[in-house]
Amino acid sequence: MSKSKTSITPKSITDDVIVNKIYEFRGQKVMLDSDLAELYNVETRRLKEQVRRNIIRFPEHFMFELTKEEYDVILRSQNATLEQGRYSKYLPFAFTEHGVLMLSNVLKSEKAITMSIRIIDLFVKLRDILHINTEMKLEIAEMKYTVEQIAKKQKGHDQNIELLFEYIDRLQDKQENIVSKPNSKGEIGFKIGENK
């Protein structure tokens, strides 16, 4: 009985599957060597061999090796238990957008090239979404600030209106006091023909 590996074609892999394999480390969006090997349909150790043979093509801003702490974050996020042979004892390489492109040049297979193009397109889409999201956050912050300023002005207007009503009430009280108090003799009006 022969074991046949199911061939994964670049078109059969959805964008969501690829996007879920993109992580952020050291302020950069990256993909791990094992995920890329799976997408390119090669063994991870073969992918790493090619990278090591062509290490000059992979400066630090194209590819870097994760630290043990960074790798533990990935394992925890996947709720992974270390199964025999599932996780490498070696720390994975993390490839940036440029590293993914360079990797397709190193692997030189049609599948690697096709998949790399899809991955790069997704990196670009993610960057666009992030840009739009940032613009929206800035607009929301600006609107929030404007509403706060209006609310402060409104509060000031409310206080001024309350003060005006208080003054009006005081004036009405004075007016009522003046009208309700007759002259000193208690008489109202004019008298004709009286001596002073």
Side-chain angles (χ1 to χ4, degrees), residues 136-166:
M136 287 175 57
K137 282 182 181 179
L138 289 173
E139 287 178 20
I140 289 170
E142 189 176 314
M143 288 168 39
K144 188 175 180 181
Y145 176 77
T146 303
V147 167
E148 287 173 354
Q149 295 303 314
I150 291 170
K152 284 180 184 178
K153 284 182 182 179
Q154 184 67 33
K155 186 177 179 183
H157 290 315
D158 289 348
Q159 289 172 342
N160 289 340
I161 290 172
E162 285 179 31
L163 192 60
L164 279 172
F165 280 129
E166 191 177 314

Short mmCIF file of all heavy atoms in Angstrom, two decimals, residues 136-166:
data_model
loop_
_atom_site.label_atom_id
_atom_site.label_comp_id
_atom_site.label_asym_id
_atom_site.label_seq_id
_atom_site.Cartn_x
_atom_site.Cartn_y
_atom_site.Cartn_z
N MET A 136 -9.53 55.24 9.34
CA MET A 136 -10.83 55.26 10.02
C MET A 136 -10.66 55.58 11.50
O MET A 136 -11.44 56.35 12.07
CB MET A 136 -11.55 53.92 9.83
CG MET A 136 -12.07 53.73 8.42
SD MET A 136 -12.79 52.11 8.10
CE MET A 136 -14.06 52.01 9.32
N LYS A 137 -9.63 55.02 12.13
CA LYS A 137 -9.38 55.30 13.54
C LYS A 137 -9.08 56.78 13.75
O LYS A 137 -9.55 57.39 14.71
CB LYS A 137 -8.22 54.45 14.07
CG LYS A 137 -8.59 53.02 14.35
CD LYS A 137 -7.40 52.26 14.91
CE LYS A 137 -7.76 50.81 15.16
NZ LYS A 137 -6.62 50.05 15.67
N LEU A 138 -8.30 57.36 12.84
CA LEU A 138 -7.99 58.78 12.94
C LEU A 138 -9.25 59.63 12.77
O LEU A 138 -9.45 60.62 13.50
CB LEU A 138 -6.93 59.18 11.91
CG LEU A 138 -5.53 58.67 12.17
CD1 LEU A 138 -4.62 58.98 10.97
CD2 LEU A 138 -4.95 59.26 13.44
N GLU A 139 -10.10 59.27 11.80
CA GLU A 139 -11.34 60.01 11.60
C GLU A 139 -12.26 59.88 12.81
O GLU A 139 -12.87 60.87 13.23
CB GLU A 139 -12.06 59.49 10.35
CG GLU A 139 -11.41 59.91 9.05
CD GLU A 139 -12.11 59.34 7.82
OE1 GLU A 139 -13.28 58.94 7.93
OE2 GLU A 139 -11.47 59.30 6.76
N ILE A 140 -12.34 58.70 13.39
CA ILE A 140 -13.17 58.50 14.58
C ILE A 140 -12.63 59.32 15.74
O ILE A 140 -13.40 59.96 16.47
CB ILE A 140 -13.25 57.00 14.94
CG1 ILE A 140 -14.10 56.27 13.89
CG2 ILE A 140 -13.81 56.79 16.34
CD1 ILE A 140 -14.05 54.76 14.00
N ALA A 141 -11.32 59.34 15.91
CA ALA A 141 -10.71 60.13 16.98
C ALA A 141 -10.99 61.62 16.79
O ALA A 141 -11.29 62.34 17.74
CB ALA A 141 -9.20 59.88 17.04
N GLU A 142 -10.92 62.07 15.54
CA GLU A 142 -11.21 63.47 15.23
C GLU A 142 -12.67 63.80 15.53
O GLU A 142 -12.99 64.84 16.12
CB GLU A 142 -10.89 63.74 13.76
CG GLU A 142 -10.94 65.21 13.37
CD GLU A 142 -10.51 65.41 11.93
OE1 GLU A 142 -9.49 64.84 11.52
OE2 GLU A 142 -11.22 66.16 11.22
N MET A 143 -13.57 62.90 15.14
CA MET A 143 -15.00 63.12 15.41
C MET A 143 -15.26 63.11 16.92
O MET A 143 -16.04 63.94 17.42
CB MET A 143 -15.84 62.04 14.71
CG MET A 143 -15.88 62.23 13.20
SD MET A 143 -16.54 60.87 12.21
CE MET A 143 -17.89 60.24 13.11
N LYS A 144 -14.63 62.23 17.62
CA LYS A 144 -14.79 62.15 19.08
C LYS A 144 -14.32 63.45 19.73
O LYS A 144 -14.99 63.98 20.62
CB LYS A 144 -13.99 60.96 19.61
CG LYS A 144 -14.21 60.64 21.05
CD LYS A 144 -13.46 59.38 21.43
CE LYS A 144 -13.67 59.05 22.90
NZ LYS A 144 -12.92 57.84 23.28
N TYR A 145 -13.19 63.97 19.27
CA TYR A 145 -12.67 65.22 19.80
C TYR A 145 -13.65 66.36 19.54
O TYR A 145 -13.93 67.18 20.42
CB TYR A 145 -11.31 65.53 19.17
CG TYR A 145 -10.74 66.86 19.58
CD1 TYR A 145 -10.15 67.02 20.82
CD2 TYR A 145 -10.79 67.96 18.74
CE1 TYR A 145 -9.62 68.24 21.22
CE2 TYR A 145 -10.27 69.18 19.12
CZ TYR A 145 -9.69 69.32 20.36
OH TYR A 145 -9.19 70.53 20.74
N THR A 146 -14.19 66.40 18.32
CA THR A 146 -15.16 67.45 17.95
C THR A 146 -16.40 67.36 18.84
O THR A 146 -16.89 68.39 19.33
CB THR A 146 -15.56 67.31 16.47
OG1 THR A 146 -14.38 67.38 15.67
CG2 THR A 146 -16.51 68.41 16.06
N VAL A 147 -16.91 66.15 19.06
CA VAL A 147 -18.09 65.98 19.90
C VAL A 147 -17.78 66.42 21.34
O VAL A 147 -18.61 67.08 21.98
CB VAL A 147 -18.57 64.50 19.87
CG1 VAL A 147 -19.58 64.22 20.95
CG2 VAL A 147 -19.15 64.19 18.49
N GLU A 148 -16.60 66.10 21.83
CA GLU A 148 -16.21 66.53 23.18
C GLU A 148 -16.16 68.05 23.26
O GLU A 148 -16.59 68.63 24.27
CB GLU A 148 -14.85 65.93 23.56
CG GLU A 148 -14.90 64.45 23.86
CD GLU A 148 -13.52 63.82 24.05
OE1 GLU A 148 -12.50 64.52 23.85
OE2 GLU A 148 -13.48 62.64 24.40
N GLN A 149 -15.62 68.70 22.23
CA GLN A 149 -15.56 70.16 22.22
C GLN A 149 -16.96 70.76 22.21
O GLN A 149 -17.24 71.73 22.92
CB GLN A 149 -14.75 70.67 21.02
CG GLN A 149 -13.29 70.28 21.06
CD GLN A 149 -12.60 70.76 22.32
OE1 GLN A 149 -12.74 71.90 22.73
NE2 GLN A 149 -11.86 69.87 22.94
N ILE A 150 -17.84 70.20 21.40
CA ILE A 150 -19.23 70.67 21.35
C ILE A 150 -19.90 70.47 22.70
O ILE A 150 -20.63 71.34 23.18
CB ILE A 150 -20.01 69.96 20.22
CG1 ILE A 150 -19.48 70.42 18.86
CG2 ILE A 150 -21.50 70.20 20.33
CD1 ILE A 150 -20.01 69.63 17.68
N ALA A 151 -19.65 69.32 23.32
CA ALA A 151 -20.24 69.04 24.63
C ALA A 151 -19.75 70.04 25.68
O ALA A 151 -20.53 70.49 26.52
CB ALA A 151 -19.91 67.61 25.07
N LYS A 152 -18.46 70.40 25.61
CA LYS A 152 -17.92 71.40 26.55
C LYS A 152 -18.60 72.74 26.33
O LYS A 152 -18.97 73.43 27.28
CB LYS A 152 -16.41 71.55 26.37
CG LYS A 152 -15.61 70.42 26.97
CD LYS A 152 -14.12 70.63 26.76
CE LYS A 152 -13.32 69.47 27.27
NZ LYS A 152 -11.88 69.65 27.01
N LYS A 153 -18.75 73.12 25.05
CA LYS A 153 -19.44 74.39 24.74
C LYS A 153 -20.88 74.33 25.22
O LYS A 153 -21.40 75.28 25.78
CB LYS A 153 -19.40 74.67 23.23
CG LYS A 153 -18.08 75.17 22.73
CD LYS A 153 -18.15 75.45 21.24
CE LYS A 153 -16.83 75.91 20.69
NZ LYS A 153 -16.90 76.17 19.25
N GLN A 154 -21.53 73.19 24.96
CA GLN A 154 -22.92 73.02 25.38
C GLN A 154 -23.05 73.15 26.88
O GLN A 154 -23.97 73.78 27.38
CB GLN A 154 -23.44 71.64 24.92
CG GLN A 154 -24.90 71.40 25.22
CD GLN A 154 -25.81 72.31 24.42
OE1 GLN A 154 -25.51 72.67 23.29
NE2 GLN A 154 -26.90 72.72 25.02
N LYS A 155 -22.10 72.56 27.60
CA LYS A 155 -22.12 72.64 29.06
C LYS A 155 -21.98 74.10 29.49
O LYS A 155 -22.68 74.56 30.38
CB LYS A 155 -20.98 71.80 29.65
CG LYS A 155 -21.01 71.72 31.15
CD LYS A 155 -19.92 70.81 31.67
CE LYS A 155 -19.96 70.76 33.19
NZ LYS A 155 -18.88 69.95 33.74
N GLY A 156 -21.09 74.84 28.81
CA GLY A 156 -20.92 76.26 29.10
C GLY A 156 -22.20 77.04 28.79
O GLY A 156 -22.61 77.91 29.56
N HIS A 157 -22.85 76.71 27.67
CA HIS A 157 -24.11 77.36 27.31
C HIS A 157 -25.19 77.04 28.34
O HIS A 157 -25.96 77.92 28.74
CB HIS A 157 -24.59 76.92 25.92
CG HIS A 157 -23.75 77.46 24.79
ND1 HIS A 157 -23.33 78.76 24.71
CD2 HIS A 157 -23.27 76.84 23.68
CE1 HIS A 157 -22.62 78.93 23.62
NE2 HIS A 157 -22.56 77.78 22.97
N ASP A 158 -25.25 75.79 28.77
CA ASP A 158 -26.24 75.39 29.78
C ASP A 158 -26.04 76.19 31.06
O ASP A 158 -27.00 76.66 31.67
CB ASP A 158 -26.14 73.89 30.07
CG ASP A 158 -26.64 73.03 28.92
OD1 ASP A 158 -27.27 73.58 27.99
OD2 ASP A 158 -26.40 71.80 28.96
N GLN A 159 -24.79 76.35 31.46
CA GLN A 159 -24.50 77.12 32.68
C GLN A 159 -24.89 78.58 32.51
O GLN A 159 -25.44 79.20 33.42
CB GLN A 159 -23.01 77.00 33.04
CG GLN A 159 -22.63 75.63 33.55
CD GLN A 159 -21.13 75.45 33.72
OE1 GLN A 159 -20.33 76.21 33.16
NE2 GLN A 159 -20.75 74.43 34.48
N ASN A 160 -24.61 79.13 31.33
CA ASN A 160 -24.98 80.52 31.06
C ASN A 160 -26.51 80.70 31.07
O ASN A 160 -27.01 81.69 31.59
CB ASN A 160 -24.42 80.99 29.72
CG ASN A 160 -22.91 81.17 29.75
OD1 ASN A 160 -22.33 81.31 30.83
ND2 ASN A 160 -22.28 81.16 28.60
N ILE A 161 -27.21 79.75 30.48
CA ILE A 161 -28.68 79.83 30.46
C ILE A 161 -29.23 79.73 31.88
O ILE A 161 -30.14 80.48 32.25
CB ILE A 161 -29.26 78.73 29.54
CG1 ILE A 161 -28.93 79.06 28.08
CG2 ILE A 161 -30.76 78.57 29.73
CD1 ILE A 161 -29.27 77.95 27.09
N GLU A 162 -28.67 78.84 32.69
CA GLU A 162 -29.10 78.73 34.09
C GLU A 162 -28.85 80.05 34.83
O GLU A 162 -29.69 80.49 35.62
CB GLU A 162 -28.36 77.59 34.79
CG GLU A 162 -28.85 76.21 34.40
CD GLU A 162 -28.07 75.11 35.10
OE1 GLU A 162 -27.62 75.31 36.24
OE2 GLU A 162 -27.93 74.04 34.49
N LEU A 163 -27.71 80.67 34.58
CA LEU A 163 -27.39 81.95 35.20
C LEU A 163 -28.37 83.03 34.77
O LEU A 163 -28.84 83.83 35.59
CB LEU A 163 -25.96 82.35 34.83
CG LEU A 163 -25.34 83.51 35.59
CD1 LEU A 163 -25.27 83.20 37.08
CD2 LEU A 163 -23.94 83.79 35.06
N LEU A 164 -28.73 83.04 33.47
CA LEU A 164 -29.72 84.00 32.98
C LEU A 164 -31.07 83.81 33.67
O LEU A 164 -31.71 84.78 34.10
CB LEU A 164 -29.90 83.88 31.46
CG LEU A 164 -28.85 84.56 30.60
CD1 LEU A 164 -29.04 84.18 29.14
CD2 LEU A 164 -28.90 86.05 30.75
N PHE A 165 -31.51 82.58 33.79
CA PHE A 165 -32.77 82.30 34.47
C PHE A 165 -32.70 82.75 35.93
O PHE A 165 -33.68 83.28 36.48
CB PHE A 165 -33.14 80.81 34.39
CG PHE A 165 -33.77 80.42 33.08
CD1 PHE A 165 -33.29 79.35 32.36
CD2 PHE A 165 -34.86 81.13 32.58
CE1 PHE A 165 -33.86 78.98 31.15
CE2 PHE A 165 -35.46 80.76 31.38
CZ PHE A 165 -34.95 79.69 30.66
N GLU A 166 -31.55 82.55 36.55
CA GLU A 166 -31.39 82.98 37.95
C GLU A 166 -31.52 84.51 38.04
O GLU A 166 -32.20 85.04 38.93
CB GLU A 166 -30.02 82.52 38.45
CG GLU A 166 -29.83 82.67 39.94
CD GLU A 166 -28.48 82.14 40.38
OE1 GLU A 166 -28.10 81.03 39.95
OE2 GLU A 166 -27.80 82.84 41.16
#
